[in-house]
Amino acid sequence: MRILKFSLINDSIATSYNLLLPVGSKVLHFDHQNDVPTIWCACPDTNEVETATFHICYTGHEFPPGKQTYLGLTMIYDRKIVLHLFQEHPESPNA
C-alpha cells in the first residue's frame, strides 16, 4: 500500500475529473497544494486500474445528479474560493 497524490489541474479548474486509480484505492484527504486542488489516496500495489470520477463544485453552484459521496472541501486563492469534492458512484446494472 502506498499513499499517492493526484493533482486536479489543467488550463483551469474543471468541474469533473476521471482519474485512473489502482483498483481498491481509497481517498484519504482532499486539500490544495499551492492553490492546486489535490487528492491523496491509499493505493494498493497493483497494476490493475479503474476509472474514478470526481466532481468539484464551487459553493452555490449545482453539482451533477446521481449517487455521489461528499469527500470534503478546500479553500484556494487566499481562502476566497471554496471547492467541494464529490466522488461519483456508477449506478448498479441491477438498479
Side-chain angles (χ1 to χ4, degrees), residues 30-82:
F30 171 62
D31 207 339
H32 68 90
Q33 205 169 41
N34 300 317
D35 284 332
V36 175
T38 305
I39 300 171
W40 285 265
C41 298
C43 300
D45 292 322
T46 179
N47 291 329
E48 290 185 68
V49 294
E50 61 188 352
T51 301
T53 301
F54 297 92
H55 301 285
I56 288 182
C57 301
Y58 297 79
T59 298
H61 292 220
E62 290 187 31
F63 55 90
K67 187 174 180 184
Q68 301 182 52
T69 300
Y70 182 75
L71 298 174
L73 65 85
T74 189
M75 293 180 250
I76 59 173
Y77 303 126
D78 294 323
R79 303 175 64 89
K80 293 179 181 139
I81 297 177
V82 179

Side-chain angles (χ1 to χ4, degrees), residues 2-9 16-21 25-33 36-43 52-56 69 71-74 84-88:
R2 299 170 192 262
I3 296 177
L4 300 179
K5 174 177 80 170
F6 300 88
S7 298
L8 306 179
I9 188 167
S16 295
Y17 295 87
N18 292 314
L19 301 178
L20 287 178
L21 301 178
S25 295
K26 180 181 176 190
V27 174
L28 298 175
H29 188 66
F30 171 62
D31 207 339
H32 68 90
Q33 205 169 41
V36 175
T38 305
I39 300 171
W40 285 265
C41 298
C43 300
T53 301
F54 297 92
H55 301 285
I56 288 182
T69 300
L71 298 174
L73 65 85
T74 189
H84 304 269
L85 183 70
F86 294 83
Q87 183 172 7
E88 184 176 303

